Amino acid sequence: MSTSQMRQRLLIVGGSYAACELASHARENGYGEDILIVSEEPELPYHRPPLSKTYLKDQTAKAEPLKAEAFYAPKKIDLKLGATVTGFDPGAKTALLSDGSRIAFDTLALAVGARARKLACEGAELGNVFDLRSVADARFLRTAAVDAENVVIVGGGFIGLEIASALVQLQKQVTVIEAENRVLARVVAPELSHFFSSAHTARGVKLLTSRTVKSLVGESGIVHKVVLDNGRSVNADIVIVGIGSIPNVELTRQLGLAGDSGIVVDSRSRTSRENVFAAGDCALFRGPFNLGGLRLESVQNAIDQSRVAGAVIAGADKAYAALPWFWSDQYGLKLQIAGLPTGATERVVRPGTASDISVLHFLGDVCICVESVNRAREHMSARRLLAAGDVTKRALLDVDFDIAELLRRRSQQ
């Protein structure tokens, strides 16, 4: 092994939010050894939320880097783009890359994310069947959508509805197929599912709930029809699949790390193996707002968790305890969620107009989650108050469940 290979190094596998933030915060907290980010994508790490929104509507839009290229060199963070880690030799602390090279490491951070779950049906391999996880996926989809008239989206979650919003505004005939009895069933209250269903149908999107895909039918290798479980068929020039994700945990088994549902880490992003960390979409953890343990796929989680990981790698004593929050943009409607509704025993709806609404979730007497649309003050107030964990139903009753007003009153005390 060469002298350069023997130098101590933090090897970060992955190339999105978690990788960038982990590297930069390791440096900011005093990590003085080499840092190398290995990413299978050829682009600099970039913002991903726009891919399902503005990027699809604008043929000239480009991926926006998370950090400018000039950011990395002064911080002595090296990038190896367009390369895939294909294996590990845990004993030798080396990673094998797709180009045949080997990278030695002293500390390993896994920010490997997750991949799109594929349709498991006849015809799933046909052309013009897409998922959306990367800018490369978005480019292919955006190009194919130009000449498409009939668009079928399988999955009525965030990604599916955001894509529906973008493409119906391009005058496409959009049909969304959702296996549950309502859209966004896994992530929001029924009242918000109804709110967004109304918003989509009012703009021409067809929603088929409680339906699954039996098969895809094609001509000359290209999809042209989706057959549903009830025998009905829907014409399709393109099909977009948004039915969840699978964490990229295959390589971790070579490190002796267990967990098919994610790479299990503690509050400091440490795995069960010494000097091996994980953060972001691939990491499964327990926290004060997620006692049961789960993976969180959100920009907030990837950033905040990886910042803690970077600091810990540098020797700081930090633990991840941030309140989860999420957002989704559909048309002019901004859905924002503070906290997690898991285990809620009651909810209170603060209705508004066709463009705003809030739902507060309670576990016993304590508010644990606030879902809101076009109510930025309520969302920001919820993030501040829920993080402290002392928002009770009794306190909210005094302000007609207006959490922004509750924050204002407490700030004056």
Side-chain angles (χ1 to χ4, degrees):
M1 185 176 292
S2 68
T3 303
S4 62
Q5 288 177 304
M6 291 296 293
R7 293 180 62 181
Q8 288 192 327
R9 175 185 289 119
L10 165 59
L11 173 61
I12 303 171
V13 184
S16 192
Y17 294 95
C20 282
E21 293 297 324
L22 196 152
S24 62
H25 279 260
R27 274 285 182 257
E28 288 178 16
N29 284 273
Y31 185 81
E33 308 299 337
D34 291 352
I35 297 179
L36 173 63
I37 296 175
V38 176
S39 172
E40 64 182 5
E41 296 190 66
E43 295 88 2
L44 287 171
Y46 54 86
H47 289 278
R48 294 179 186 262
L51 298 181
S52 58
K53 307 175 185 71
T54 54
Y55 190 92
L56 294 180
K57 295 189 291 184
D58 183 356
Q59 291 292 324
T60 65
K62 297 180 180 179
E64 179 185 351
L66 295 176
K67 313 279 188 184
E69 189 171 5
F71 166 85
Y72 297 95
K75 293 189 176 289
K76 297 183 179 179
I77 298 172
D78 296 320
L79 296 169
K80 190 174 180 65
L81 304 177
T84 303
V85 173
T86 58
F88 293 105
D89 182 342
K93 286 192 173 182
T94 59
L96 177 63
L97 272 58
S98 52
D99 61 5
S101 63
R102 291 178 176 270
I103 302 292
F105 59 84
D106 172 62
T107 302
L108 176 65
L110 300 167
V112 292
R115 62 187 182 277
R117 188 181 299 276
K118 303 293 185 181
L119 276 179
C121 69
E122 182 182 352
E125 75 291 345
L126 288 168
N128 278 4
V129 177
F130 302 94
D131 48 49
L132 183 54
R133 296 291 296 188
S134 69
V135 69
D137 296 334
R139 287 193 196 107
F140 286 128
L141 173 56
R142 184 171 67 179
T143 299
V146 170
D147 296 322
E149 178 181 355
N150 297 302
V151 176
V152 174
I153 299 171
V154 184
F158 286 146
I159 290 292
L161 294 189
E162 287 170 2
I163 295 172
S165 168
L167 295 185
V168 79
Q169 291 179 73
L170 296 177
Q171 311 307 312
K172 309 300 178 183
Q173 300 297 313
V174 179
T175 301
V176 175
I177 300 167
E178 168 55 46
E180 299 290 338
N181 62 4
R182 58 185 175 95
V183 299
L184 300 172
R186 298 175 182 84
V187 288
V188 301
E191 293 82 2
L192 280 176
S193 291
H194 176 73
F195 179 93
F196 279 98
S197 291
S198 298
H200 280 275
T201 55
R203 291 164 174 84
V205 176
K206 297 176 183 177
L207 301 177
L208 304 179
T209 56
S210 300
R211 294 271 70 91
T212 58
V213 175
K214 180 180 179 181
S215 64
L216 304 182
V217 179
E219 291 181 356
S220 303
I222 304 297
V223 70
H224 79 93
K225 186 182 297 184
V226 178
V227 180
L228 305 181
D229 57 331
N230 62 355
R232 176 184 172 183
S233 63
V234 182
N235 291 334
D237 299 311
I238 59 176
V239 173
I240 303 148
V241 181
I243 55 174
S245 66
I246 301 171
N248 293 318
V249 298
E250 289 74 17
L251 285 175
T252 64
R253 296 189 181 100
Q254 299 179 20
L255 298 168
L257 303 178
D260 292 333
S261 300
I263 304 170
V264 179
V265 298
D266 64 10
S267 63
R268 288 164 172 75
S269 284
R270 300 173 299 196
T271 71
S272 58
R273 192 176 187 92
E274 186 178 8
N275 291 331
V276 177
F277 298 76
D281 291 0
C282 64
L284 188 152
F285 67 101
R286 289 179 173 83
F289 303 101
N290 130 51
L291 298 176
L294 50 71
R295 281 193 312 119
L296 288 177
E297 290 194 58
S298 72
V299 173
Q300 170 273 321
N301 177 67
I303 290 175
D304 289 346
Q305 188 179 42
S306 58
R307 286 176 175 175
V308 168
V312 171
I313 288 170
D317 183 18
K318 290 191 176 183
Y320 181 44
L323 178 80
W325 55 270
F326 315 82
W327 82 92
S328 175
D329 292 309
Q330 300 168 41
Y331 312 107
L333 306 172
K334 179 176 282 293
L335 166 64
Q336 295 175 295
I337 303 171
L340 296 170
T342 308
T345 54
E346 185 182 0
R347 63 181 183 271
V348 173
V349 180
R350 291 192 71 240
T353 67
S355 62
D356 70 295
I357 188 174
S358 299
V359 180
L360 293 81
H361 296 259
F362 294 86
L363 177 56
D365 189 49
V366 178
C367 183
I368 59 173
C369 177
V370 176
E371 303 164 343
S372 58
V373 179
N374 287 357
R375 292 180 176 176
R377 286 183 64 248
E378 289 189 23
H379 173 69
M380 296 306 296
S381 300
R383 280 168 54 179
R384 288 183 60 181
L385 292 175
L386 267 58
D390 62 347
V391 182
T392 65
K393 188 176 181 182
R394 177 174 297 180
L396 284 164
L397 273 168
D398 292 339
V399 292
D400 195 25
F401 292 95
D402 184 345
I403 198 166
E405 174 62 17
L406 178 62
L407 176 62
R408 187 189 70 81
R409 292 187 184 183
R410 289 188 175 181
S411 298
Q412 292 179 339
Q413 293 175 355

